[in-house]
Every structure is written in structure tokens, then in C-alpha cells.
Amino acid sequence: MKSDFFQPAPLRSELSFDGRRRVIIDRVSPEIDGGRFPAKRASGERMIVEADIFTDGADTVEAELLYRPCGAKDWVSVSMSPLGNDLWTASFITGAPGSYEYTVRAWVDHFLTWQKGLKKKIDAGQDVAIDLKIGAAIVELGAARAKGEDAGTLHHHVGILTVGDPVTAVDAALGEELTAAMQRCPDKSIATMYEKVLLLQVDQRKAGFSTWYEFFPRSWGSEPGRHGTFRDCMTILPRISQMGFDVVYLPPIHPIGQTKRKGRNNSLVAAPDDPGSCWAIGSADGGHTAVHPELGSMEDFEAFVREAELNGISVALDIAFQCSPDHPWVLEHPQWFRWRPDGTVQFAENPPKRYEDILPIDFETKDWQNLWTELRGVFLFWIGKGVKIFRVDNPHTKAFPFWEWAIGTIRDAHPDTVFLAEAFTRPKLMARLAKAGYTQSYSYFTWRNNKHDLQQYLTELTRTELRDFMRPNFWPNTPDILHEELQSGSRAKFIIRMALAATLSSNYGMYGPAYELCEHLPVAHGKEEYIDSEKYEIKSWDLDRPGNIRAEITAVNRIRREHPALQQTADITFVRIDAGEGREHEQLMGYVKRSDDGRDVILTVVNLDDHHTQGGWLRFPLELFGLPHTQQFMVEDLLSGNSFTWNGEWNFIELNPHHMPVHIFSVKLPS
Amino acid sequence: MKSDFFQPAPLRSELSFDGRRRVIIDRVSPEIDGGRFPAKRASGERMIVEADIFTDGADTVEAELLYRPCGAKDWVSVSMSPLGNDLWTASFITGAPGSYEYTVRAWVDHFLTWQKGLKKKIDAGQDVAIDLKIGAAIVELGAARAKGEDAGTLHHHVGILTVGDPVTAVDAALGEELTAAMQRCPDKSIATMYEKVLLLQVDQRKAGFSTWYEFFPRSWGSEPGRHGTFRDCMTILPRISQMGFDVVYLPPIHPIGQTKRKGRNNSLVAAPDDPGSCWAIGSADGGHTAVHPELGSMEDFEAFVREAELNGISVALDIAFQCSPDHPWVLEHPQWFRWRPDGTVQFAENPPKRYEDILPIDFETKDWQNLWTELRGVFLFWIGKGVKIFRVDNPHTKAFPFWEWAIGTIRDAHPDTVFLAEAFTRPKLMARLAKAGYTQSYSYFTWRNNKHDLQQYLTELTRTELRDFMRPNFWPNTPDILHEELQSGSRAKFIIRMALAATLSSNYGMYGPAYELCEHLPVAHGKEEYIDSEKYEIKSWDLDRPGNIRAEITAVNRIRREHPALQQTADITFVRIDAGEGREHEQLMGYVKRSDDGRDVILTVVNLDDHHTQGGWLRFPLELFGLPHTQQFMVEDLLSGNSFTWNGEWNFIELNPHHMPVHIFSVKLPS
């Protein structure tokens, strides 16, 4: 159980390492659980690495960040800079999706140490004759390492330091020519490499910035009541694309079981024509690698995926590892299920609740290797059909080690895959799924509705270690969750929650048709289930119905596409908004986001009150940008198109929810 | 460079592990830098371990903390308890000094899972006939694992569950007899072991609780002006012991160089009879393994160590790895030093300052293996003479990897050694020295004088990761540091700083004679050096001089010895003291400390103002002890002997610094 990791070089009694490596590299970040898990960035994002770096005594230290694709031989080096308090930093822009590794190297620079001491001695009026000779020896060693013209330059300086007149020698010793040439040939012979090589998972761009639209294909038949097909669904792709969505997510598309099929509104007995829940997977027509016959053929599905790509849209499939009693696996692999003393398969239960239409898989089966391989094969099958994005149903009810293995090995071959964990569960489990490989995670956003809760949740997501491995995906609704906040049907509230999701998180999505149309009736008071839920029946949506918020969704998505500040989640700063008398405003919430390069700055202000106009004094944090609190600057509301000149940090804001409960300001600051 | 650590089981593509181990063990603490460094506890202290533990789904989890001395085969197991939010904990009292390892094991308990479900189904009035049969199968497997009488008990229960009447079967299923027997034979066959085995360094008791007295042996000659000897010093040991000190720390006792010897008050030229600084180590009489001839013989030193032990006192030696130009190493190992172009050895410098009486050792020497071995040999030599405690001079100016190797390998053979790092340097370096093996660390206490700074510093030491590996040692003065606060000579101020050090930190010390006598004159205004410093001359101390604070020191040390709450540093809670109108009192500071077992509770209150009587309302945190804010309880001031009855949390406190600026209350709470 003890690995080499526990016998670091300095404890090996045989002294078979190089003890002259005097620089210490400590607390490199990001480093998830001591390097056990990779940090994550999307392709094209900036990766910032920090480390404590120092040595004994007063010698000058230099350091570099090293990174490379896993398997590559050569490191790419980025020079690190000190931030103070022995903390150093460097960054790079990530490349193509894949696994990368990074570490830090640092060394004592004897030339810079000598040069610094020389300068101090000269300033103190001390004799430096011997120091110049010491420097000549250091430069001579540099000349032996140097390449090209530098070697000549350095040899020339050795001469000056050795035999030049004192004034010339000192000028040369402190001069830029010598310094630059020496810095091109640092002596790394006894440099320290950080003890660990850390892993970085670079994901495809949509891992970091994506806009999801969920719909049930069977509701898009060419005429009301007719079962929709993949071919039918092709016709709505241009419309979804025009609204600014770039991922369409389909609930399970597999054959649906007959045994114990659920009827409308989750009734225990289905009517003969009820289509059943598409999460009750598997029938005589096949299981997780088949398509429900009424949706069309596999070729139709592949054509749908291609058509989506032509519209700039990725198709995300829902993978739910559970079986209807009619699933082929029950007969083919009975050992993957638990059997009861009465000879039946154990159905899903959470006592005293019973879910008899669903059989859970037994991850403690002795045949677990074949089970794991078959389950992973489901993903590989759909990858073969052109799918790159998977939304995984309830991953926290399947064994965690399976996910780490399955996602890890799939990503090795297909680094552009994205896995979204639908785990609405306890915080530690959600974090572990993200560490174990999930690219994105459903979040608690749906249940964070007041200003305090939203700010606290965003702080947790962006200011703790979660920032480096868990990418939240914010959904104002799902087919399972119609939050009480939306049940009034207030159009402004739907706009508010959509705008919050879209501007707080770079990844967001909605159960589209119901959200666009502000569907708001629950199955019963106090429930979060929709009445007449599409989960159990075929719906027919009139997307042009009055009161829809298509225009607002389209506008917000356009702003997201045009503004890099909204294409990332980690950089967010909440601003102070006063209601008067120094009291924090309870309904107006504002936050600033900046793009990686700092050039794009967006200030979003939301009125959380969907009934009343709210006004308050907003303090824009000019200090974030190194500007005085009296700075004059322009802001443009990207929703209304209106521009304003703001004089200094404090400015009055007012939002009428019946007109538009949100400002999304592009902030134009002097650079 | 990649170790096995980076290929955890779930990523191995060959599936050669057991994937059925479904429990996840995450974020075990303490875990220093991902397990790279050991956590530290003193012998007899409680070691508390926490971990996030959970599994997929709703199954019931059980967990145990495992620990053992390194090299032992069998683990000791301690059952863990859930604290909520998937966090589990367990603890144990540490044993003899040495290296220990610990980890966590957890498993799904199918019996408890079944029992929990059964109870819910019964409560819901469901039929449980099949469930009882399922339980019988689980109990039957338990019977096969059980030992002794339990096997029979479990077999009997299998019968009841299988064929008993329903009421009897249900009673038995939920009964204590079955539950207890099953809990004695849990199924750990597919338990999860945490991926790492972590290290715990258990140090001798004085590592965690020690009271240091520093003095210069040469000043204790039998008559004024005569060079003191080890034999002379034996006579003051009973007095030091009676004052409550258990470590005497001697500045270097080695031969002192002649070349460039420093004179009185650090003058560059010594008078013929100047004894020189004992940190200029080495002469023709020997180096780091010799004693200065005027102090006596090696036998005298050994006799002194034995005499100290008889007085309950450990002798701490000062190990300063630097050489006078006369040190034997300069001739014997010239390769361990840097040589200048003029043929001289490079002396210590921090440009433009020069320290020509001191030669630094070159840790980049090609002969580093021999150098390291020789330096470590210095410690081993003195360990052979009975010394267990070392105060190391400026360890941050020697290579960090050397310390990790030297202390690590010395502790393997001598686990009861203690190393105190005299590194008054930047925070990251101090932390690294502690991680690399130092048992105790000098601290910033000397420069933390107001309430805000003291509270902030203690919070950093006790509420961050430092708590688990860095043990501060608080010194109100040293021969190098007479802080400005003390330069007024105010007797109350000396008592305040002593009491703060002694009650804030379980390890504290003083440069004794000067402190007892309130010596307070600096060499110059704005300097922290003593005038006529004992570092450069032989002093003669009249310890009975009026104004001394021996009685106060003795009283505080007695209270420390009698109260376990003051024998640890990590458990400290600052209390609120109001000056009136809700304002925090700026001069009165109070803090509560609790012993490991919670039975000893000490409330210290200090008036930081050494001139004026200060009063205020102190809020005792009754909630820490689960008591109502109206609780009546007794407090006894251990310094004055006076007892008070306090009614509820708020009580008035007043301290007259001219009488006694400190209360140390023993708090008697109902249990």
C-alpha cells in the first residue's frame, strides 16, 4: 500500500539522489486532493498555476511552469513571476482537448544573486574588486552553456570583468546585455522539479460554455397526437439554433418497457395507448443501444445528429442505467440483478416507496467486469453514431468507481466527449462525481432563489476548490422540477430565472418548450412535478402562443455568444447595491464578470422581485480595474441598447419587472 | 516521475482490482500536502481523524479508523461515527514516541440497510414476508462469519426469520440481540481502504508541553568575573526546577574561534580577555563535537545532563551549523566552503553587511553526501552524550532537503528527540521547516503585541493546516530580541508578556536571567539588541535583585503543570469583552482553553495595558459546553486564590496592572 510517494528523496537513507537541489516548491495549485484528480479547463481557457517557491538563505530564485500533452516528451516552459510572500505564478492558454500534465521547476540563479549583491555593495561604496572576479567565473560557466552569439558575448564580458578598468567592469556587470545573455542560459543542473506531475483535463469548448435545450422528440409529430420521429425533429432544429442554443438534449430514445408501464401523471396503471416513461428502458425491441421504433430507425437518428451539427448544435443523449423488466439484459445477464426469494427481480425501492417499473443494476455482482464493460459500451456505441455529449441520469445511484473508470478510459480515446451528471444529491457526492470525471454537473441553482442564497452558492462554486474541477450547469426548470417560484406563472419571473442562469453560469439549459411558454401548473399543490407531465404522455406545443419569452431568451443567448465574459463561470464579483441608509438592497442583485484577457466586462443587474419596480444605488468596483472611484465611464445595456455615462463608482439603477427585470451592461472602461 | 499514485485502481484498464468496493473515502484529515508529510501529536495527546464517507444510493455505511506503529502488521481499529453531511470521525490517544500510520476503511452494511428498510415498511403497514426471507439470507451469511456464541445466536435468528410467526420474526429482526451479534461480524469482504496510508509522528511529551529557560553557562562562575563551568551550573538547576522549568537551553558550548572574534557589544575588534560569541564555533580545541575548554570536560557536561535529569529538566543544546575561520573543518574539508579568488574562504554576508567571524557552509558542494553525514553526526554525537532536545540556529539558511533527511533518519532511531527551529523568517519557510521534521518552531509571538494581532496570529496557528504540523514555541525575549514593548522596563509588562506566552502556547520559554530581572536596556534606541549583551561578555546576575518577577513566573508555571488545558495549544477560544456600548475592549483580552477530555477548563484574562486599571464585561461562552446562557458556575483565580460565583454568561472583570495584570481562572462547570 505504501508507494514511492511516501519515500521522498530526502528520506532515502542511501543518499542516491542529488541533495544539492536547494529550492523548495510547495503547495502547487491547482492540485486536487494531492494530485489524485485532474484539474479541468475547457480548450482555449487560461490555466493559471501558482506555487510557493523559495530557497534557504538570500539567494535569488527563478522558476518555470512546465506542461505538455500526456505522452509527449518535451515540456513547454513558461517563466514564472513572484507575486509576493514567496508565491509564484504563470499561465498558459490550453490547447486541444486531451489529458495534459504540468509541474514546476525552480533553481537558484547564482548570476542574479551575485549581481544583486554587487549592486548593494557598490551603493554602499564598498570595494568590489574580488566580487568582479567572482562574477567573471560565474559568467565563464554561463558562456560554456550558452548557444550562438551569446557564447561570444559572455566570453567578452568575462574579459571585461577580469581585466577591465573598474568603472567599465561595473557598468558591464550590471548592464542589460550581460543580464539578458545570462538569462538565456540559466544553470538548471541542480534545479528542483516539483515532486509530483499533476494532471490537467482539457475538455472541448462546450464543456466550458454551452446552452442546452431539452425536448421530447415524441411530441414533435407532424400532426397533433401523432408520435414524433427524428425526421420530424429535424424541422425544429433551425428554430432552436436561431434562439442561440448549441446543445439539444433528448431524454432516453430507447425502446420503452410494457411491464408495469406508468400511465399519465405517473399513474400506476397505463392506458393501452399511453406511451410510457422513456426512462423505463428496454423491451423486446432492444435496450440501451436501440432506438424506440416509433422514433424511427438508427439511420434516422444519425441523420438527425448530422442535421443538428449543420445547425451548430450538438445532440446530447440521456444515459440512464436502469432497466424495465422487459430489458434484454434481464434474460441475458440475470446475474447483474438482485433476485428475491420469490423468484422475481428486485425492483427499485426507497422504503417505503416502490418503483416496480424499474430494475436497478447490482454493482456488487461477481460479474462486475462484464457489467462495467457492457455499460461503458453503451457510451462507445453512441459515440460511434456521432454523439459526443451525454447527460447521465442519477449517476450517484451507481458505483462511483465505475464512473471514474468508464469516463476516464472513454476520454482517453475520445477527449472531446462531455458528461453531464444529473445528480441532485448531497454536496460531497456531487463533488466526487465531478472529481471522478464528470465534465459538468447539475447544480442547486434551481433551489437558490433569494439574493443571499444565490451569492453564497456562487461563492462556494467559484471561490473554493470546486472551481477547478466542478463545472455547474444551471437549469431554471427540468421535466422533473417546476420550482414553486415559477408556479405563479409570472412571465417576469421566468425571464428573471432564465437570465440568472444564463449570466451566472456559462453552462445553462432549460426544458425548452415548457419554459419558453411559461408552463407553470404543478401536478398538485406543494409538488415540483408538472401537471400532465410530458414524461408520461405525448404533448403538442404551440411555441408561438402569446406570453412566450422566446425573444428574451434569444436576446440573452445572443449576448452570451458575443461576450467572452459570460462564457466562463469562475470570475464573478458581486457588487454592493444599497436600498438607502446603508442597507443592502434585498431584491436588486448585481455582479461583474470579466473575460480571461480582461477586455470584456459585463455587469448584470437583476430585480429578483417580479412584481414591483425596484431602485437602488449600485457601487461599481472600479478598484478591480485599478481605476479611481471618481472614474467616468460608459455602460451599454445590451438588452435595451441604451447607453449611459456613469460618473464614479456609485450610480442609480431602477428595474421595472413588467418591462424588463434585467440589465446586462457592457462596461467600457479606459484601458 | 509518475508513480502508482497517479493510476488509482479505477483507471487501470485491465480491471485487475475489485470494482465492487462501492464506498468512497474522500478528504481524510489530517492529511498534510496530500500525505507527503506526517501529522504530529505528542505522546498521550488525542488524535482526531475525519473523512468524507459515502456510497452510491441509499445503503447504510459503516467505517473504522485504522492505525498502527510503522512496521507493525496488525491495525488497531476504532469505529467511526457520522457527524452529518457525510463527514465521519474517530479518535485515539497516541502511544509511545515513534512513527505511526493511519488510514480509514469503510463498507456497505447490508444488514443495517435491510433492517432500516424493514422498519420503514412495517411503519407504512406493508407486507414484509419476502423481506424477512431476504433478511434471513443476510443473517445466515453473518452466522458463517461469526465467532463463538454469536454463530449460534445468528443461526437461531435465521430460523425465526424463516419460519417464525410474523410478529415474532419482526421483533427478532429489529431486536438488539440480532443487531449486536451482526455488528460483531460485519462483512468487510468488499470494504474500501482509503487509497493512502498517512503518517503520524508521535513525539515525546515535551514536544507538546515544555517550559524553557535559556542561560549562558559561562556567566555562572563561582565568583564574579570567573568563567562559569558545567559544574558551576549544576548548582542553579534546583532553582530553575523550582521555578517550573523543564528544559534548560544552552547557547553553543563549543570552542570559540579567535580569528575576527567579536568584542563587547558586537564590536569588530575583541579585547584580549573578551570571551567572544559562542556562535563563532570552532578553534584548535575542536568544533561541533567538542566542548569549550573553559566550560569543563565532556565528562563534566555529561554529569550536568544527568544532574538536570534528576531535577526533571532536559538539557537542550544549540546547534549552529556555521564555522569560525579556526574551525577544524576548514582545513579538513575545504571543499565544504566557498573560496574566493584571493584564496580566502567566503565569509557570511548579506550585502552590504559582512560577518567575517563566520563562515557559511556551502550546501551545493559536490561532497554533499559527506557533509550531510558529518552534520547529522553532530546530533548523533550529542544524543550519545544524553541530549534529546536541540535548538537549531537559523535552519532556514541551510538546505531544506538536508533537514528532512537528517531529522527524519535521526527520529527513526531516536523518536524521543525534539528539534526546535530558530527560524525568524518568512511564513512559508517556517511552515516548510515544520513539515520537513522540526518538532517545534520559534514564532512571531514576540512581535504580536496588541489584541488584534495576537488573536489573529493564534487563529492562524490553531485554525489552519498549521495546527497539525507546526508547534509554536512562544518567547517573550531571547538574547537577540529585547522587544521595544519591554524597553520601558515596566515590571507589569514583563508579567503580561510572560503570562501571555505561558497561557497562549503550551510550549514557551525565556532567556531566563535577563527576563526574571526585567532587564530592559537596548544597545541603542530603535534596536532590539540588549546593551552589554551576554552574547559577547560574561555577566554576573543577582537573581534576587528587587523587582524581579520570579514569584510570578513560578506561579504561572505551577498552574501550567497542574492544568492539562494549558498543556495544549490548538484548543483556544477567544471570548468577547465589552468596554461598554457594545464596543470590543481594546486592552482586555480573554481566552478559554479545554483539555483533551474536556474536564479541565481555563479562562485567562490579560490586561494588555501595563499602566492603567481596565474593566469590562466578559462573555463566557457557555454554549461551548452545551450550557444555557443563564448558567450559574464557579471560577477560581489560580493566581490570587480567590473564587467567584458567576451568574450567567456576562460578568464584570477588572485588572490593576500594578497589582496583577492577569487572571487565570479555573472554571468549574456542571458536567
Side-chain angles (χ1 to χ4, degrees), chain B residues 21 70 143 145 158 195 231 244 386 449 520 635:
Chain B
R21 303 184 189 279
C70 287
R145 290 189 304 271
V158 171
E195 288 173 2
R231 297 274 169 195
N449 287 279
H520 65 281
V635 299

Side-chain angles (χ1 to χ4, degrees), chain A residues 1 6 8 10 17 22 36 52 57 85-86 110 121 126 130 195 197 349 352 364 368 396 405 426 428, chain B residues 6 8 10 17 22 36 52 57 85-86 110 121 126 194-195 342 349 352 364 368 396 405 426 428:
Chain A
M1 198 150 198
F6 288 95
F17 52 94
R22 293 167 47 212
R36 171 68 177 79
D52 290 344
N85 193 22
D86 297 305
H110 290 292
K121 289 174 181 178
Q126 296 180 1
I130 290 177
E195 288 174 2
V197 172
E349 58 176 4
E364 289 188 6
W368 66 273
H396 58 293
W405 172 81
R426 312 194 299 280
K428 306 289 176 67
Chain B
F6 287 95
F17 51 94
R22 292 166 48 212
R36 170 67 178 80
D52 290 344
N85 193 22
D86 297 306
H110 289 293
K121 288 174 182 179
Q126 296 180 1
Y194 183 54
E195 288 173 2
D342 63 357
E349 58 176 4
E364 289 188 7
W368 66 273
H396 59 294
W405 172 80
R426 312 194 299 281
K428 305 289 176 69

